[in-house]
Amino acid sequence: MASLQVSRLVLSSSSSSSCSRPKAAVSIPKLPKFHVSVPKIPIKKQTLSVKEPSFEFVESLPLSLKQRRGSDSIQRARLNAVLEEVMDRIEMHKNIGDQRNNWNSLLLNSVNMITLTAALMAGIASVNCHGVDSVTAVKIASTVLLTSATGFAALMSKIQPSQLAEEQRNATRLFKKLRVEIEKFLRESEEIEEEDVKEAIKKVLSLDKAYPLPLIGTMLEKFPEELKPATWWPENKRENPKTGLANGWSQELETEMREVAHVVKSRDAEEYEKLGNVALKLNRFLAISGPVLTGVSAVSSVFIGQDSGLAGIVAMTCASLAAVVNTLEHGGQVGMVFEMYRNSAGFFSLLEETMKSTEKRENGQVFETRVAVKLGRSLSELRDLAKRSNLSQVEANEFASKLF
């Protein structure tokens, strides 16, 4: 509208200044003013916050399932704790086994050196019997050495270091086997129950009882009345074997395992027990003879220098025999041989019990392969052994029926 007013002023000024031009008036209507009121939209100050998505999958699970998962994690942790203790025991038994093997070598060498030195001194004293002072000194020295040798020989015969070392070697091997079993179970099992943890603990405690570490109070009896197979596994409730095709087992395989168990018990186990009793008797005889001979030599050395030279001869002879006996007993490791037979008899007992038990039985074909390898036979040889045993039993029953 300001532009229109300006145009009017320009037109009016131009008309007044020029007379020759005609006057013209242009009237332009004024546009009406429109007042448009736009209502204000009330805007509230709001703070925008982006919420992170929350995944509450565990909370949405059923309560029983959550409890089961929590229990499984706890039992798995407990079984891992048992595995750590097993690994620690492996190292302990290995170290102590090496130490006791060193005991056997060092004590044997020391006892033999002391005994032979004392025998030599007794011989010198018996020859130089004219010098009273020199004879007395040599005689006292030989007596002291022979008495010490008697004590050391009695100690070695009591604890049997070679047998102790073999016990620790067996314990190390069996703990390693248990370690492999637990690791395999942890790797392959999706759910671990409390009974599995208790079973693992029982196996550890059974091994601790079968092969103790300390000597005083818990040492195994080294000279029992007769050989008893070693038992390093917990007692299991025996069940009647199930027949059928479940888990790779069949009636034929059940019969085969029963026949193998009968052969193992009647042939191999009895033979090992017999040989073990022979080793036990030999070890007992040598363990008594060594200290007795050394003691007789020590007593005889006291009487060296008397009118008769018999004391010197007895001392030298008994000392020499004692050195031979100690070498045969501890150098030959007769105690270790006895422990090997005892452990082998225990192996056959465990094998027989495993074949008769059906608790948590593994696949039949896998079990057959395991038994064959443990007995040092192929699968065909194991089956032939079972067939021959079955035929021999049938023939024996027929012969008995004819007699009666």
Side-chain angles (χ1 to χ4, degrees):
M1 292 182 65
S3 61
L4 292 176
Q5 290 177 359
V6 172
S7 60
R8 287 178 184 176
L9 291 175
V10 173
L11 292 174
S12 62
S13 61
S14 59
S15 61
S16 59
S17 58
S18 175
C19 299
S20 60
R21 294 179 182 179
K23 294 181 180 180
V26 179
S27 62
I28 299 172
K30 296 181 179 180
L31 297 174
K33 296 182 179 179
F34 296 97
H35 298 285
V36 180
S37 63
V38 180
K40 294 183 178 180
I41 300 175
I43 300 175
K44 294 182 178 180
K45 294 183 179 180
Q46 295 180 352
T47 57
L48 299 178
S49 60
V50 180
K51 294 184 179 181
E52 296 181 356
S54 60
F55 300 96
E56 299 180 353
F57 178 71
V58 178
E59 296 295 333
S60 63
L61 292 176
L63 185 60
S64 60
L65 183 58
K66 289 191 296 182
Q67 291 177 349
R68 194 183 311 165
R69 289 191 174 183
S71 176
D72 177 70
S73 61
I74 293 174
Q75 302 306 330
R76 189 175 294 273
R78 292 177 63 191
L79 195 57
N80 276 312
V82 176
L83 179 60
E84 292 177 1
E85 292 301 321
V86 168
M87 296 171 67
D88 183 63
R89 277 170 168 79
I90 291 173
E91 191 66 24
M92 284 194 300
H93 282 281
K94 181 180 181 299
N95 295 336
I96 292 179
D98 295 338
Q99 180 194 40
R100 291 174 179 177
N101 190 32
N102 292 333
W103 284 1
N104 186 56
S105 301
L106 294 174
L107 287 174
L108 175 60
N109 294 333
S110 300
V111 169
N112 283 343
M113 289 178 64
I114 291 172
T115 304
L116 294 176
T117 302
L120 180 61
M121 295 178 71
I124 294 173
S126 62
V127 172
N128 297 328
C129 58
H130 299 290
V132 178
D133 295 335
S134 61
V135 168
T136 302
V138 175
K139 181 175 66 175
I140 293 174
S142 64
T143 303
V144 171
L145 289 176
L146 287 171
T147 304
S148 302
T150 303
F152 282 121
L155 178 63
M156 292 185 69
S157 299
K158 175 66 177 178
I159 65 174
Q160 293 291 315
S162 63
Q163 185 173 348
L164 290 174
E166 180 65 19
E167 290 175 5
Q168 303 311 312
R169 282 191 287 266
N170 289 331
T172 302
R173 178 177 56 83
L174 293 172
F175 270 115
K176 286 182 178 180
K177 183 179 179 182
L178 179 59
R179 172 188 174 181
V180 173
E181 291 178 1
I182 295 177
E183 289 178 346
K184 181 181 178 182
F185 186 79
L186 285 170
R187 186 171 58 253
E188 296 180 354
S189 298
E190 298 180 355
E191 183 178 355
I192 298 176
E193 300 177 356
E194 186 176 0
E195 294 298 327
D196 301 323
V197 180
K198 290 182 178 180
E199 184 179 358
I201 294 175
K202 286 181 181 180
K203 291 181 179 180
V204 174
L205 297 179
S206 299
L207 275 171
D208 286 340
K209 184 178 179 181
Y211 301 102
L213 283 172
L215 293 178
I216 300 174
T218 58
M219 184 178 68
L220 297 178
E221 187 180 359
K222 297 299 180 287
F223 302 101
E225 295 296 329
E226 60 180 5
L227 183 142
K228 294 181 179 180
T231 305
W232 60 82
W233 61 91
E235 295 182 358
N236 295 324
K237 295 181 180 180
R238 293 186 177 182
E239 302 176 0
N240 294 326
K242 299 177 182 180
T243 59
L245 300 176
N247 198 18
W249 286 88
S250 62
Q251 184 65 36
E252 296 178 356
L253 187 56
E254 291 281 356
T255 305
E256 177 187 340
M257 290 297 104
R258 282 198 297 268
E259 294 299 330
V260 171
H262 175 73
V263 172
V264 167
K265 182 179 180 180
S266 62
R267 185 183 303 174
D268 296 335
E270 291 182 0
E271 182 178 358
Y272 273 84
E273 290 181 5
K274 185 186 299 183
L275 293 174
N277 287 322
V278 172
L280 175 62
K281 293 178 181 178
L282 177 62
N283 194 31
R284 184 186 290 116
F285 172 75
L286 295 175
I288 295 173
S289 301
V292 168
L293 289 172
T294 313
V296 172
S297 179
V299 173
S300 300
S301 64
V302 177
F303 299 99
I304 294 176
Q306 303 297 329
D307 296 335
S308 176
L310 182 62
I313 297 173
V314 172
M316 292 179 61
T317 304
C318 290
S320 300
L321 289 175
V324 173
V325 169
N326 290 331
T327 302
L328 180 60
E329 179 187 5
H330 303 292
Q333 300 187 355
V334 182
M336 183 201 71
V337 174
F338 167 73
E339 180 62 25
M340 288 177 60
Y341 284 126
R342 192 177 76 92
N343 187 75
S344 298
F347 162 74
F348 288 122
S349 299
L350 176 61
L351 188 62
E352 179 187 1
E353 183 175 334
T354 305
M355 286 189 288
K356 291 182 178 180
S357 176
T358 59
E359 185 178 0
K360 292 185 178 180
R361 176 178 279 183
E362 60 181 335
N363 183 271
Q365 297 179 357
V366 176
F367 183 77
E368 182 186 20
T369 305
R370 191 187 303 277
V371 171
V373 173
K374 285 185 177 181
L375 294 178
R377 301 174 183 271
S378 63
L379 291 176
S380 59
E381 291 176 347
L382 186 69
R383 292 163 185 166
D384 291 340
L385 178 66
K387 290 179 181 179
R388 289 197 300 268
S389 174
N390 191 12
L391 290 176
S392 61
Q393 287 186 1
V394 171
E395 292 176 357
N397 293 332
E398 291 179 354
F399 181 74
S401 62
K402 291 179 180 179
L403 290 177
F404 299 99

